[in-house]
Amino acid sequence: MTTLLEARGVTKIYGAGLFHRGQTVALEGFSLRIETEPPTITAIVGESGSGKTTLARLLLGMTIPTSGAILYHGKDLRKLSRREWREFRRDVQAIFQDPYEVYNPFYRVDHVLLTPLKKFGLVKSDREARERIVEALEAVGLRPDETLGRYPHQLSGGQRQRVMVARALLVRPRLIIADEPVSMVDASLRATILESLRTLTRDFGVSLIYITHDLITAYQISDNIIVLYRGSVAEAGHAEPVVQEPQHPYTRLLIGSIPMPDPDRAWSEEQDPSEIGRLADPRSGCKFASRCPYAMEMCLERHPSLYQTERYRVTACYLYREAPVLAGEYLDEAFARPGVAGPAVAASGAVDEPTSSP
Ligand code: SF4
């Protein structure tokens, strides 16, 4: 098992130049590794302004970190040779929110599928290209005879997005970074597209980083979930406990705003911050303090560490401060991996239950 892609202590600040007054910290001290094996699905969840799209752009090499580094096979993206950069572009594919933007309306869909095959020299003949394209379209549940030969506007939004998934699959990547891939298609098609993405992991061994504002779709397809709030990790770990029994007050808020089929779990409104939370200064202390109903004095002083509250879960909240701090800097230390034993929690600090329950 080797590391395919790694974010090492990545911070991204916009407006960080000499002549900028206002600075926005989009992402802070983020560390995560995606291994070559086994394939995994990791969801990055957060509201607008959480830093999730910045993270996608950083991982794709579309923007450079203010500090820290993104590494591909252990090498900083900024130091890759031309050949290594080409390999990276093949291994790490992207799927964006609006598939229409990727299409040239004057070319048939075939063009968008042929281009990456030719660019990476992956086929020797037109016949082989056709076979690969048919296989990829079928893998995402599209009928080649109803898709090829058409112009983008002749396909539905869901079909266009599935063509994008097929396109990503064509070059046999190791990792796909999908930024809000289903937010612009209607609900009835969401499940089909998500299933297509899941197929890539299950049948083709492709890992997926699924970036979304929607915790429920994250839960449906992911092994692990990272919840971001204003550029920092609020909670992360195995998808099931994070969604079924959220610990961080922000994750609870996200879950509470989702209508659940379970009648015992009603809609919940955002609660008012505590008296202390109202005094929070956005420049110091816990970033969630000004919205947190449980904010305490200590929350105003320093942003909390990531506490390993369970075997497969970390939470950045002082309510869990009796749990051990995550050993090492990488979030994936706390992730469940298919077929691999999880990280051991030191016996002295092992916790199965929250040390403090609000
Ligand atoms: Fe709320 Fe304090 Fe936890 Fe932040 S650290 S989420 S303010 S209780």
Side-chain angles (χ1 to χ4, degrees):
M1 187 172 78
T2 55
T3 301
L4 174 70
L5 193 66
E6 175 180 340
R8 186 182 290 172
V10 170
T11 293
K12 179 69 185 178
I13 302 173
Y14 288 108
L18 268 180
F19 304 105
H20 290 92
R21 281 198 201 152
Q23 293 191 341
T24 305
V25 180
L27 192 70
E28 201 168 0
F30 186 91
S31 297
L32 175 74
R33 293 166 298 200
I34 302 293
E35 310 293 350
T36 47
E37 300 268 340
T40 52
I41 304 182
T42 307
I44 314 279
V45 182
E47 303 167 307
S48 137
S50 62
K52 59 188 192 304
T53 292
T54 296
L55 176 60
R57 292 175 59 79
L58 285 159
L59 292 172
L60 287 162
M62 295 167 71
T63 187
I64 56 169
T66 307
S67 62
I70 305 292
L71 299 99
Y72 168 66
H73 287 305
K75 194 165 176 185
D76 192 324
L77 287 190
R78 289 167 287 195
K79 295 180 181 155
L80 297 184
S81 66
R82 259 177 107 88
R83 184 182 55 77
E84 290 165 331
W85 179 254
R86 203 175 147 83
E87 277 170 24
F88 167 74
R89 294 296 302 270
R90 181 184 163 183
D91 266 357
V92 182
Q93 289 287 307
I95 297 173
F96 293 109
Q97 182 176 28
D98 183 1
Y100 209 74
E101 281 184 3
V102 183
Y103 290 98
N104 182 330
F106 301 109
Y107 287 114
R108 294 175 205 271
V109 169
D110 314 36
H111 182 260
V112 91
L113 295 166
L114 261 177
T115 304
L117 286 177
K118 287 187 174 164
K119 180 176 161 194
F120 293 107
L122 299 174
V123 285
K124 294 195 180 72
S125 65
D126 288 351
R127 188 175 159 190
E128 194 186 343
R130 168 96 192 170
E131 283 169 6
R132 289 276 289 268
I133 288 171
V134 166
E135 181 195 34
L137 289 174
E138 286 175 346
V140 300
L142 287 172
R143 290 183 53 173
D145 56 325
E146 289 179 359
T147 313
L148 297 173
R150 304 232 173 161
Y151 288 96
H153 71 270
Q154 293 176 308
L155 301 178
S156 69
Q159 285 172 318
R160 280 195 293 267
Q161 192 58 299
R162 272 188 283 168
V163 170
M164 283 297 110
V165 179
R167 181 179 188 262
L169 178 61
L170 268 177
V171 300
R172 304 266 199 274
R174 287 177 175 268
L175 172 67
I176 291 178
I177 299 177
D179 187 4
E180 299 275 16
V182 292
S183 63
M184 290 183 74
V185 297
D186 57 62
S188 60
L189 283 167
R190 253 174 235 160
T192 320
I193 293 170
L194 290 173
E195 186 49 37
S196 306
L197 289 169
R198 217 193 339 215
T199 304
L200 303 188
T201 302
R202 196 181 48 221
D203 298 349
F204 296 89
V206 182
S207 285
L208 175 69
I209 293 183
Y210 172 55
I211 294 186
T212 181
H213 64 283
D214 179 4
L215 249 178
I216 287 303
T217 57
Y219 176 55
Q220 285 165 349
I221 70 161
S222 312
D223 303 306
N224 299 293
I225 291 179
I226 298 169
V227 180
L228 284 182
Y229 183 75
R230 285 182 45 207
S232 292
V233 176
E235 182 164 354
H238 191 38
E240 193 145 326
V242 169
V243 173
Q244 295 286 352
E245 296 164 34
Q247 290 181 331
H248 194 284
Y250 175 59
T251 321
R252 292 177 196 207
L253 178 67
L254 287 180
I255 299 284
S257 63
I258 297 166
M260 305 295 273
D262 180 350
D264 294 333
R265 298 184 66 178
W267 289 74
S268 75
E269 297 294 327
E270 179 158 358
Q271 290 174 267
D272 289 337
S274 69
E275 287 300 318
I276 293 173
R278 287 179 213 279
L279 307 174
D281 178 341
R283 290 164 302 182
S284 60
C286 172
K287 293 181 178 179
F288 191 63
S290 63
R291 291 171 70 182
C292 184
Y294 313 107
M296 307 165 275
E297 289 285 354
M298 68 174 70
C299 307
L300 307 191
E301 286 159 21
R302 230 175 128 237
H303 192 72
S305 305
L306 282 166
Y307 296 103
Q308 183 143 20
T309 56
E310 290 170 14
R311 189 172 170 85
Y312 294 126
R313 177 161 23 182
V314 289
T315 304
C317 175
Y318 287 124
L319 293 172
Y320 302 90
R321 62 190 178 280
E322 285 171 31
V325 171
L326 174 70
E329 64 177 307
Y330 292 95
L331 282 172
D332 48 279
E333 311 262 359
F335 280 0
R337 290 196 178 87
V340 179
V345 177
S348 58
V351 280
D352 290 319
E353 298 297 326
T355 51
S356 167
S357 201

